[in-house]
Amino acid sequence: MDLKSNHTAPVLTDPAPISKSRLGGYPNLLPYSHTGAFSELILNIPKKKTGILDDVRACSWLDAMKASSPPHRKMMKDSNNELAPIDSDAAYRAWMLQYPSALTSFEQIINSAKGKRIALFLDYDGTLSPIVDNPDSAFMSDAMRDAVEKVAKYFPTAIISGRSRDKVYEFIGLKELYYAGSHGMDIMSPVRQSVLDDHQNDIRSTDKEDKEVNLFQSAREFLPMIDEVLKSLVENTKDIKGVKVENNKFVAAVHYRNVDEKYWQTVAQRVHDTMKLYPRLRLTHGRKVLEVRPVINWDKGKAVMFLLESLGLSNCNDVLPIYVGDDRTDEDAFKVLREGNCGYGILVSAVPKESKAFFSLRDTSEVMEFLKYIVTWKQSSAL
């Protein structure tokens, strides 16, 4: 087979569309809990646990990898018994009955924010920047950067990305934001007193301006192991044309977007063989990317909780968190907000898919419009 070394980078595509209707219709945001949904943070680092293959174990490696590809247009027979494409726009409109546009539902969102402080959390790839073939070229537009900068002047704003924290900061370059990398396993936040003070993974550090900050790295002890795995993955996949192995500090990402589909099984097998030696690591599947990460009880949802507490915004009664993201890893954050009845998740997607989010936006351009809406509302309410 034609396997040649070529590290042209693939990146992230949409997960599979909905296979069946999500249970229940779209609910209004429930009344806020008075118990404080963000008051308890849990960090559990198992000393020994079998590696988990997550959703790829539920079906097969190849099926899971195909599931992250853009869905093929479904076909149906018309009255003349000839194949015709199903109206994808109609399917999307039906899906939006459960996940209304955050733009057309903006008044509802703002009504829920009356008397509360908005805290904004944003994913990066596919949310602030378009999905591109080369992950090193996922630059946000100047217009988007301006929109993010303006919203950060009025509301606490954090980026929670699967990228390394340093890398996502380089892409955005705004000092007004708070950054969490490696799916929330590497968080830089203001110095504060918290339930996690004196934890071995919670240390004082300084930012690029020598300002004292709090650095929380929930998977710190795994760093040497991740570095070792990265080297093995690079070596074990170097002969597969199109593979890109990315170092995201506490996550080793194997992108296969630019790999010929007939070699996807080979990619999966190479990653699987590498992981056999590391039972304390698990494999998760993103948008045309296999990610190797530590087996710990930490995700983007817990990162949201941690940041809210760090910013002094852990009281559900006077805070409205809003999380905007496009990837399945963002579902952990959507779930925290939905189950805590204390915020809104907004899914960015151009295709129907199941989600714990309340609202939707179609693409990055609509994300930018939503950010502008928030700024305009804040400016007008201050008059």
Side-chain angles (χ1 to χ4, degrees):
M1 58 183 176
D2 180 23
L3 299 181
K4 299 179 181 179
S5 178
N6 182 344
H7 289 292
T8 302
V11 178
L12 325 174
T13 53
D14 283 297
I18 293 177
S19 57
K20 59 183 179 179
S21 298
R22 189 168 66 90
L23 295 177
Y26 167 75
N28 290 326
L29 186 68
L30 299 177
Y32 280 73
S33 166
H34 292 280
T35 58
F38 309 114
S39 59
E40 183 178 355
L41 292 171
I42 302 174
L43 175 63
N44 180 22
I45 303 179
K47 293 301 180 184
K48 183 73 173 179
K49 188 172 182 179
T50 303
I52 301 172
L53 301 186
D54 286 11
D55 54 321
V56 292
R57 172 177 285 176
C59 47
S60 71
W61 286 82
L62 190 57
D63 289 342
M65 295 170 81
K66 288 181 178 179
S68 75
S69 304
H72 298 291
R73 296 191 68 184
K74 294 184 179 179
M75 308 294 287
M76 63 181 297
K77 289 187 177 181
D78 61 17
S79 58
N80 295 320
N81 205 37
E82 294 188 3
L83 291 176
I86 292 176
D87 188 346
S88 58
D89 288 338
Y92 192 79
R93 289 194 298 270
W95 176 77
M96 288 184 68
L97 295 176
Q98 295 186 32
Y99 306 94
S101 167
L103 297 178
T104 58
S105 304
F106 187 73
E107 185 175 350
Q108 178 185 346
I109 296 173
I110 292 307
N111 285 339
S112 299
K114 289 181 179 179
K116 307 178 188 297
R117 295 185 62 190
I118 291 177
L120 193 60
F121 300 90
L122 305 168
D123 184 24
Y124 183 73
D125 292 282
T127 299
L128 299 181
S129 70
I131 300 301
V132 296
D133 286 345
N134 186 342
D136 295 329
S137 300
F139 303 109
M140 65 193 303
S141 67
D142 290 339
M144 179 67 84
R145 181 174 290 102
D146 182 64
V148 174
E149 184 176 22
K150 287 180 178 177
V151 82
K153 291 180 180 179
Y154 294 101
F155 310 102
T157 303
I159 307 297
I160 303 182
S161 172
R163 303 286 194 129
S164 71
R165 178 171 50 80
D166 288 342
K167 188 174 297 182
V168 77
Y169 177 82
E170 289 176 4
F171 276 132
I172 298 175
L174 296 176
K175 301 174 183 177
E176 300 90 342
L177 309 181
Y178 304 101
Y179 293 89
S182 303
H183 298 299
M185 288 182 281
D186 186 10
I187 305 174
M188 183 173 286
S189 62
V191 172
R192 81 280 179 263
Q193 296 298 316
S194 104
V195 294
L196 291 178
D197 275 353
D198 300 324
H199 194 284
Q200 62 177 342
N201 296 306
D202 193 17
I203 62 174
R204 298 290 171 87
S205 183
T206 56
D207 61 15
K208 297 182 183 298
E209 295 182 315
D210 292 327
K211 181 180 179 181
E212 189 175 25
V213 294
N214 192 77
L215 186 61
F216 181 74
Q217 296 177 330
S218 57
R220 178 184 296 273
E221 69 170 273
F222 289 88
L223 194 55
M225 189 182 300
I226 293 294
D227 287 341
E228 186 176 313
V229 169
L230 274 163
K231 294 176 182 177
S232 296
L233 289 171
V234 170
E235 180 64 26
N236 294 341
T237 62
K238 67 182 181 181
D239 62 333
I240 305 176
K241 184 178 180 180
V243 167
K244 168 73 176 181
V245 179
E246 184 181 15
N247 182 352
N248 286 323
K249 198 175 180 76
F250 296 104
V251 177
V254 181
H255 300 281
Y256 58 89
R257 180 178 177 84
N258 289 340
V259 176
D260 191 308
E261 187 172 332
K262 64 184 177 181
Y263 299 131
W264 286 4
Q265 184 65 51
T266 303
V267 176
Q269 189 62 52
R270 300 282 179 87
V271 175
H272 175 64
D273 291 344
T274 301
M275 286 193 65
K276 287 179 180 178
L277 303 174
Y278 302 95
R280 295 182 66 200
L281 299 178
R282 66 187 178 116
L283 182 68
T284 57
H285 196 281
R287 303 176 66 185
K288 280 201 174 177
V289 60
L290 298 173
E291 294 183 308
V292 179
R293 63 175 76 180
V295 178
I296 63 172
N297 186 19
W298 197 264
D299 52 38
K300 287 188 175 183
K302 287 186 170 58
V304 168
M305 295 165 65
F306 181 91
L307 281 164
L308 284 168
E309 182 185 324
S310 299
L311 298 170
L313 302 173
S314 58
N315 185 351
C316 270
N317 297 319
D318 57 14
V319 176
L320 181 70
I322 297 175
Y323 188 106
V324 186
D326 73 304
D327 194 63
R328 67 181 63 190
T329 58
D330 299 309
E331 290 295 327
D332 294 313
F334 296 156
K335 182 179 179 181
V336 163
L337 299 183
R338 175 179 284 274
E339 294 184 353
N341 299 321
C342 49
Y344 288 122
I346 301 176
L347 174 66
V348 183
S349 179
V351 297
K353 53 186 175 182
E354 300 218 28
S355 178
K356 292 291 185 181
F358 277 100
F359 300 103
S360 67
L361 293 168
R362 195 176 187 98
D363 50 31
T364 56
S365 65
E366 288 199 355
V367 172
M368 184 165 63
E369 285 303 305
F370 180 74
L371 297 180
K372 291 179 178 179
Y373 276 24
I374 296 179
V375 170
T376 300
W377 167 76
K378 184 64 176 180
Q379 290 174 336
S380 62
S381 63
L383 297 178

